[in-house]
Amino acid sequence: MSENSQRASLAFGQVVIGPPGSGKTTYCHGMQEFMARIGRRVVVVNLDPANEVTPYQCAVDVSELITLPDVMENLKLGPNGGLIYCMEYLEANFDWLQEKLAAFRGHYYLFDCPGQVELYTHHNALKNVFAQLAKWNFRLAAVHLVDSHYCTDPGKFISVLCTSLSTMLHVELPHVNVLSKMDLIEQYGKLAGACCCGRIPIAETHLLKSLEGLCAVNGAFGKQCLPRSGEGSGPPNPFNLDYYTEVLDLSYLVDHLASDPFFRNYRRLNEKLVEVIEDYSLVSFVPLNVQDKESMRRVMQAVDKANGYSFGDQEHRSLEALMSAAVGADFHFTSTLAVQEKYVRSQDKAVEEEVMDM
């Protein structure tokens, strides 16, 4: 096969994965509309046999092959076992999938996947489906959605990091982790406080790197904190959003958990989990609100870089877009701060104001 014909046969797309309720179907609907408006030919493939009602226009639907209610009724399986059976059945019927997808060659594909975590962390059926798509010249990136409100609970956030890391290692695709529902991030509580003593720890950020000060409460742990202006202690200040999106020094979250009598008994377990996450140093997040065009553009740009679409000639590429994809910069280093200002309520004073007061 010549190089030109091989390039023409390439197909690009996203496999949208994540736990139940993380917004996968909503994301597919929003991304389909967003891409259509910028002129990209896009189709959505529903691989979730439990997804009976889809808000988007579905080009290929796995329910034509198998449905979860039928499996549960006929084989007397529960929802989890039924989903695993459905994915194994899909794996055994690659010819059906190949025939359906062949009708939309030349389009960009969005695969809406089931919401069972085990399918992405332990079971091999979906992983084998993705591998087979790669053999058919599909260039895919996994978009792993997690609910952003987990940032308000340190214990849940560490669990999300472990799940995200396990998924990345198991699925074996270029990966983009997304914090979905950013407009609802504080619906269930504030972002985790910076320190149990009510002071702001000096995180590894460009803003606080040059400041020094030893926290009297956490001094035994060697943690450095920035005293609040006025009182020496007070209610905890939240971390900036980039602490969660860039997954900075997680030892602060372990200290935060240790202030809870229940989690104090599991400190060493939490420390070991954090060590694993930081040793791999793979997990980071892109914030997303599907109703915000700029937020959708940032996610699309990250995914296009991951699956290689931005390096092709399918769309006109400006020099800035090409350099952004090549060097990994989007020329908007304050984008996460802009998201924080938009969706996270300010606490008394901004960190910048605290620094100026010093």
Side-chain angles (χ1 to χ4, degrees):
M1 181 182 296
S2 66
E3 183 178 352
N4 290 336
S5 61
Q6 186 175 6
R7 286 175 61 87
S9 66
L10 287 179
F12 293 89
Q14 310 174 19
V15 292
V16 184
I17 62 180
S22 58
K24 296 182 295 297
T25 298
T26 302
Y27 171 86
C28 289
H29 185 205
M31 188 59 73
Q32 181 187 40
E33 291 185 343
F34 181 79
M35 288 184 173
R37 288 177 182 174
I38 65 174
R40 191 178 297 189
R41 301 170 63 198
V42 57
V43 295
V44 181
V45 179
N46 176 36
L47 294 184
D48 186 358
N51 200 355
E52 298 178 351
V53 180
T54 56
Y56 47 75
Q57 184 178 357
C58 188
V60 180
D61 194 343
V62 73
S63 62
E64 298 176 10
L65 178 69
I66 190 171
T67 63
L68 180 61
D70 289 343
V71 170
M72 293 174 61
E73 181 180 354
N74 295 325
L75 300 180
K76 308 304 179 186
L77 294 173
N80 292 339
L83 271 176
I84 290 177
Y85 180 87
C86 289
M87 293 301 100
E88 291 176 344
Y89 191 82
L90 175 62
E91 182 186 2
N93 289 272
F94 279 143
D95 53 343
W96 175 88
L97 182 61
Q98 185 176 23
E99 180 183 352
K100 291 291 185 180
L101 295 176
F104 299 97
R105 275 294 180 177
H107 288 70
Y108 188 97
Y109 295 81
L110 298 173
F111 293 89
D112 188 5
C113 298
Q116 187 175 351
V117 176
E118 295 93 319
L119 291 172
Y120 315 116
T121 59
H122 299 85
H123 202 261
N124 288 327
L126 262 182
K127 174 184 176 181
N128 294 337
V129 171
F130 300 155
Q132 184 62 48
L133 289 172
K135 293 179 181 178
W136 295 338
N137 276 337
F138 279 78
R139 298 297 180 260
L140 301 174
V143 179
H144 184 231
L145 299 178
V146 294
D147 205 317
S148 62
H149 79 75
Y150 288 131
C151 294
T152 63
D153 187 317
K156 290 180 179 178
F157 184 67
I158 291 176
S159 299
V160 163
L161 292 175
C162 291
T163 303
S164 300
L165 178 59
S166 178
T167 301
M168 295 176 74
L169 297 176
H170 183 74
V171 172
E172 297 180 350
L173 283 176
H175 217 85
V176 177
N177 293 300
V178 174
L179 286 177
S180 63
K181 307 178 186 177
M182 279 302 303
D183 52 323
L184 304 177
I185 186 171
E186 291 193 330
Q187 182 177 5
Y188 300 99
K190 301 292 184 183
L191 293 179
C195 179
C196 59
C197 69
R199 295 172 181 172
I200 308 172
I202 300 179
E204 297 173 356
T205 64
H206 64 279
L207 179 63
L208 300 177
K209 191 172 291 186
S210 62
L211 299 175
E212 294 182 355
L214 185 63
C215 169
V217 177
N218 280 336
F221 302 106
K223 298 301 174 193
Q224 291 181 316
C225 292
L226 173 66
R228 293 169 55 87
S229 59
E231 296 290 334
S233 62
N237 280 356
F239 289 121
N240 283 337
L241 185 61
D242 64 347
Y243 177 85
Y244 299 93
T245 58
E246 301 301 325
V247 189
L248 299 175
D249 189 351
L250 296 176
S251 62
Y252 295 121
L253 286 187
V254 175
D255 292 340
H256 192 285
L257 284 172
S259 64
D260 188 310
F262 175 79
F263 288 107
R264 188 177 299 132
N265 297 327
Y266 302 96
R267 183 184 180 97
R268 283 190 57 80
L269 173 62
N270 291 327
E271 287 176 345
K272 294 303 180 182
L273 290 175
V274 164
E275 280 184 22
V276 172
I277 296 168
E278 292 185 331
D279 285 348
Y280 276 99
S281 190
L282 292 175
V283 184
S284 62
F285 295 94
V286 180
L288 170 69
N289 173 18
V290 294
Q291 299 175 351
D292 186 343
K293 293 181 180 179
E294 182 61 23
S295 178
M296 292 289 282
R297 185 195 67 79
R298 291 195 188 104
V299 172
M300 185 187 71
Q301 187 179 46
V303 176
D304 284 351
K305 177 188 172 185
N307 64 16
Y309 184 87
S310 59
F311 298 100
D313 53 3
Q314 289 81 1
E315 293 178 359
H316 173 71
R317 298 293 168 190
S318 65
L319 177 61
E320 179 177 323
L322 182 60
M323 291 300 296
S324 296
V327 303
D330 61 359
F331 300 104
H332 299 284
F333 62 90
T334 59
S335 58
T336 303
L337 181 60
V339 173
Q340 174 173 325
E341 291 175 348
K342 194 169 188 178
Y343 299 115
V344 181
R345 301 186 192 93
S346 61
Q347 300 289 319
D348 297 331
K349 293 185 177 182
V351 176
E352 292 90 339
E353 294 177 351
E354 296 276 1
V355 174
M356 293 301 296
D357 289 341
M358 293 297 295

